Amino acid sequence: MSINEHVTEGCDQYAVFGNPIQHSKSPFIHTYFAKVTQQSMSYGLEEPEVDSFEEAASAFFANESVKGANVTLPFKRDAFEFADRLTERAQLANAVNTLIKQPNGEILGDTTDGKGLVYDLTLQFGDLSGQSLLLIGAGGAARGVIEPLFSAGISRIHVTNRTIEKANFLVEQFSQFGELSASALDHLPNQGFDIVVNSTSSSMTKELPAITETIFDNASIAYDMFYSNEITTFNEWAKNRNSSIKTSDGLGMLVGQALESFRLWRGVTPTESEVLALINELKAQLSN
Ligand code: NDP
């Protein structure tokens, strides 16, 4: 089902595919990006039935004015299958969140979540070079961020997950990019970490991963990929253990991944101060 009838003659068309998708912030974000960079485009919402992504995406891309799309849950793997060609980072992540129509009509699949995390961490906390990172969780989001974090200069990553097999699998996949290790949540290495990233969905249900809170003692940053209108359960826990730790939720990551999609589609990006203004506006919207 197409929620927004967003086909406007004479301008390039984009949309985000997901189910459910009504509460997506992507149309607001991309409309803002288009406005500040003076791009003539529109961006809508597409909500196919969960088993109808291919049909819906084919119909959408058949329109000549359609130039690209974002894809979110539960369709990231369907988009991976749908794309005619994949970037290396999409192949590594095994998922696609950005589809780009090429001049020859081919659909290129890419993933921008990892860039989004690196963008937000760097924007808020500066250069990541030489920092060690504990990555809690080994799901789809974790898989997409390991290579971009190493590319940004992170020196060492330890992955820990409730289901240890998934953490071990990530080590097999990504060891070629840097110093990477894995363990169960209750078997962490003795060394501390500069940055602790929660890529589990635990904060969604106000739960905490079953891991020791000493992980925050030597860390300067706690980052929860989940975002909400109040401090996340994970970040509150980090602050209670270490009052000097800086915390962030994943709102800036969401904006960062959108920024990278927008750059791939349009070849331009808003300025840093325009991005910061958007993040502040989104925070204000969330708290209302
Ligand atoms: P997946 O379903 O692929 O993975 C979920 C992960 O969370 C698994 O590692 C799972 O462990 C773990 N988990 C879930 N509940 C618990 C719990 N109670 N205790 C410990 N571990 C738990 O989800 P994604 O990787 O796609 O997303 C993870 C989070 O990241 C979500 O909150 C999502 O909103 C957020 N996200 C944010 C983005 C942003 O732009 N800000 C982008 C993408 C994701 P196990 O393997 O043992 O089941």
Side-chain angles (χ1 to χ4, degrees):
M1 177 180 67
S2 181
I3 290 176
N4 275 5
E5 283 309 322
H6 51 84
V7 178
T8 313
E9 288 308 317
C11 91
D12 292 344
Q13 310 292 322
Y14 301 85
V16 58
F17 284 73
N19 190 341
I21 201 63
Q22 287 92 337
H23 298 298
S24 171
K25 305 221 168 293
S26 294
F28 183 82
I29 294 171
H30 284 284
T31 303
Y32 173 88
F33 287 164
K35 190 172 157 211
V36 297
T37 59
Q38 297 173 326
Q39 300 292 299
S40 172
M41 57 180 272
S42 71
Y43 189 106
L45 297 171
E46 295 285 332
E47 191 177 51
E49 298 296 324
V50 288
D51 56 355
S52 305
F53 177 81
E54 192 187 346
E55 198 185 337
S58 298
F60 183 71
F61 276 97
N63 186 325
E64 244 181 57
S65 56
V66 165
K67 303 295 183 219
N70 282 133
V71 181
T72 187
L73 297 178
F75 299 126
K76 288 184 178 187
R77 182 65 210 179
D78 298 277
F80 181 93
E81 302 291 342
F82 176 76
D84 299 313
R85 225 156 34 82
L86 296 163
T87 62
E88 198 188 336
R89 61 187 180 186
Q91 284 173 40
L92 284 167
N94 202 30
V96 158
N97 79 338
T98 307
L99 293 165
I100 309 137
K101 194 191 265 179
Q102 304 294 288
N104 65 1
E106 259 187 355
I107 308 297
L108 177 65
D110 200 355
T111 179
T112 64
D113 283 340
K115 272 265 184 190
L117 175 64
V118 167
Y119 180 87
D120 191 35
L121 282 172
T122 310
L123 186 68
Q124 295 194 65
F125 309 114
D127 188 9
L128 303 176
S129 297
Q131 311 239 31
S132 58
L133 188 143
L134 176 64
L135 183 60
I136 310 171
R143 186 171 176 152
V145 301
I146 294 174
E147 186 276 323
L149 285 167
F150 279 133
S151 289
I154 290 287
S155 61
R156 169 170 67 91
I157 299 177
H158 186 80
V159 188
T160 183
N161 194 44
R162 189 172 58 182
T163 311
I164 177 66
E165 291 76 15
K166 287 197 208 163
N168 287 337
F169 176 73
L170 292 187
V171 171
E172 275 169 40
Q173 289 288 110
F174 292 98
S175 284
Q176 54 181 308
F177 299 105
E179 192 183 331
L180 187 61
S181 51
S183 69
L185 293 172
D186 58 356
H187 276 86
L188 295 181
N190 288 328
Q191 315 125 285
F193 298 91
D194 301 311
I195 305 173
V196 176
V197 173
N198 180 26
S199 81
T200 77
S201 42
S202 60
S203 291
M204 279 170 112
T205 47
K206 295 194 185 291
E207 289 173 283
L208 290 169
I211 193 169
T212 169
E213 58 191 0
T214 59
I215 51 171
F216 302 118
D217 291 353
N218 298 311
S220 55
I221 299 166
Y223 192 101
D224 194 350
M225 287 191 189
F226 179 70
Y227 63 86
S228 84
N229 58 351
E230 53 189 13
I231 185 164
T232 69
T233 313
F234 185 84
N235 284 347
E236 190 173 33
W237 189 46
K239 272 279 179 207
N240 285 340
R241 175 71 188 191
N242 175 356
S243 59
S244 62
I245 203 166
K246 294 177 204 133
T247 59
S248 174
D249 69 18
L251 187 64
M253 176 178 173
L254 177 80
V255 171
Q257 61 79 28
L259 187 77
E260 176 67 359
S261 297
F262 190 82
R263 186 187 70 77
L264 293 166
W265 294 328
R266 308 302 299 182
V268 289
T269 46
T271 63
E272 203 171 287
S273 60
E274 286 164 344
V275 174
L276 283 168
L278 172 66
I279 293 173
N280 286 333
E281 168 64 25
L282 288 167
K283 276 186 189 152
Q285 284 182 11
L286 275 176
S287 57
N288 282 334

